[in-house]
Amino acid sequence: MNNRLYGNLIFELSHPGRRACSLPENRFGSYEVPDDMRRSQDAALPECDELTVVRHYTNHSANNFGVNNGFYPLGSCTMKYNPAINEEVAAMPEFANLHPLQPADTCRGALDVYDGLQRALSEISGLAKFTLNPFAGAHGELTGLMIIRTYHERRGDTRRTKVIVPDSAHGTNPASAAVCGLDVVQVKSTPEGIVDVDDLRSLLDDTVAAMMMTNPNTLGLFERNIPEIASLVHGCGALMYYDGANLNPMLGVCRPGDMGFDVMHINLHKTFSTPHGGGGPGAGPVGVRKGLEDLLPGESELSVGPYHGNFAVLLRAYAYILTLGREHIKEVGPLATLNANYIKESLKDVYELPIDKTCMHEFVFDGLKDKSTGVTTMDVAKRLLDYGYHAPTIYFPLLFHESLMVEPTESESKDTIDGFISVMRRIAEEAASEPETVRSAPHNTPIGRVDDVLAAKRPVVTYRQMEAGE
Ligand SMILES: *Cc1c(COP(=O)(O)O)cnc(C)c1O
């Protein structure tokens, strides 16, 4: 990888007249394209030889970081290994060439996959029925909230406009509620990081449509008061919504349906084998408890939306579930939990652990324990890049100033995890002995620190061709 040699933009490597192809002689005669359909100037395309093009893109691809080339302990988003065999299944032409409007009797196999996955998700979650339509977690939340809104409307209960969301929730929860036209009301967390039941009690009345919960919550903690919360919420006539974006710690341990949840979504692209990130493909199936099935998309005139979702993602999920099988899927939750707790316990003497409890699949540090060095969570995250690791989630959740959120996932070996622990300890030592090295990291990446604010507010995403004489 050498960006200086190969340039950053293919346009910068262009030489007028250089070609990567030669077309055979035209044997068909020529036709004049009418003037009004022609460009007045040639398209500004890069002109390069074949090997330059190949090297340019190959070297850029080597700058990508993914689960396939390194440890990726991103909290809240479950970046785990997704078996390559599932990619092969998803690419099979029999599946890949299906058309969404194809007659049902020409795609029985695909419909079997659809049914099988629906049933597997019901069994895993304890809910009666799933729609596989939604294309993402956030899309699932919106679908689920629309189902809840319709449920109330159908009962003539039109005053219910509020959705209660914990202050630790993922940002999509309040956003989905707002898009659904509902008002967001925040419920506080206790000092130990779970929903404050007393605060919740004070918010409940006959204007509440639903309570959204994430479990384990965004701090990686198990919400142990769910039975009480569910009975309070149901007692006031509202429904319980479960954000199951990251279901891996629950697999084989407990089921949202058994805890009193009415509606939930699952992110297949986090828990069930689809590589994600950068807005890549996803699926956020929504499940409902018995009695709400007819509100699912395509089920009745009350329901929303007709199609069958992001089928390639559904296929990968089904292949993954069948590969693990009923027996091995039960190991996912305990392993995800074990790995996270092992890292937490191995590092809590040098990183600040604000909530010192057994966590589930992830946990949050509040920066380095020794605050006197001036080394921030951002610096630690940047320094990790030098050692070949993807950074954990930083500055989220917003409950702490220096949040550093780690999720190792169930799929990493002990050696990999021990390697990460030793690098995190080394960075803590560097912060004390040579803080400037950490503060000015990264030193080994093609690009150092970028101006995040400028990049977010005024992103430059196109290349402006220099005009002649400029
Ligand atoms: C990722 C995530 C979401 C949103 O899922 P998308 O597929 O990104 O829309 C919602 N809630 C939680 C807890 C998540 O981790």
Side-chain angles (χ1 to χ4, degrees), residues 121-138:
L121 295 180
S122 285
E123 195 171 326
I124 285 167
S125 65
L127 289 167
K129 190 153 190 199
F130 270 81
T131 170
L132 308 181
N133 281 26
F135 286 94

Side-chain angles (χ1 to χ4, degrees), residues 335-404:
L335 269 178
T337 303
L338 175 66
N339 289 350
N341 280 285
Y342 176 60
I343 296 180
K344 170 174 68 70
E345 291 302 311
S346 306
L347 290 174
K348 72 177 187 185
D349 59 325
V350 282
Y351 289 86
E352 184 70 41
L353 182 63
I355 299 174
D356 192 357
K357 295 230 170 259
T358 304
C359 65
M360 298 294 289
H361 60 311
E362 62 192 3
F363 63 89
V364 185
F365 284 135
D366 189 8
L368 282 158
K369 196 153 201 165
D370 179 1
K371 302 282 186 229
S372 71
T373 64
V375 169
T376 63
T377 279
M378 176 66 86
D379 303 329
V380 172
K382 296 286 186 194
R383 186 68 177 139
L384 271 169
L385 308 182
D386 281 338
Y387 288 108
Y389 291 89
H390 194 282
T393 296
I394 57 171
Y395 300 106
F396 178 84
L398 306 176
L399 299 177
F400 314 112
H401 290 298
E402 292 289 325
S403 288
L404 185 122

Side-chain angles (χ1 to χ4, degrees), residues 163-185:
V163 176
I164 300 179
V165 177
D167 56 8
S168 66
H170 193 275
T172 50
N173 289 191
S176 301
V179 171
C180 195
L182 298 164
D183 302 322
V184 179
V185 181

Side-chain angles (χ1 to χ4, degrees), residues 370 373 375 427-435:
D370 179 1
T373 64
V375 169
I427 294 172
E429 279 160 29
E430 288 175 347
S433 60
E434 40 174 330

Side-chain angles (χ1 to χ4, degrees), residues 76-77 136-138 141 170 172 214 243 245-246 265 267 269-270:
S76 173
C77 271
E141 291 167 22
H170 193 275
T172 50
T214 308
D243 178 338
N246 308 286
H265 79 270
N267 278 17
H269 48 293
K270 287 177 186 169

Side-chain angles (χ1 to χ4, degrees), residues 270-348:
K270 287 177 186 169
T271 308
F272 296 108
S273 187
T274 283
H276 70 287
V286 170
V288 295
R289 67 152 160 81
K290 209 164 166 28
L292 299 177
E293 297 100 317
D294 63 335
L295 297 177
L296 287 171
E299 295 290 333
S300 75
E301 74 283 0
L302 288 169
S303 60
V304 276
Y307 286 110
H308 290 302
N310 211 344
F311 192 67
V313 178
L314 307 181
L315 261 176
R316 291 180 180 99
Y318 194 45
Y320 185 68
I321 289 170
L322 292 181
T323 309
L324 287 179
R326 197 174 260 116
E327 188 187 336
H328 296 292
I329 217 163
K330 292 188 179 143
E331 292 167 25
V332 170
L335 269 178
T337 303
L338 175 66
N339 289 350
N341 280 285
Y342 176 60
I343 296 180
K344 170 174 68 70
E345 291 302 311
S346 306
L347 290 174
K348 72 177 187 185

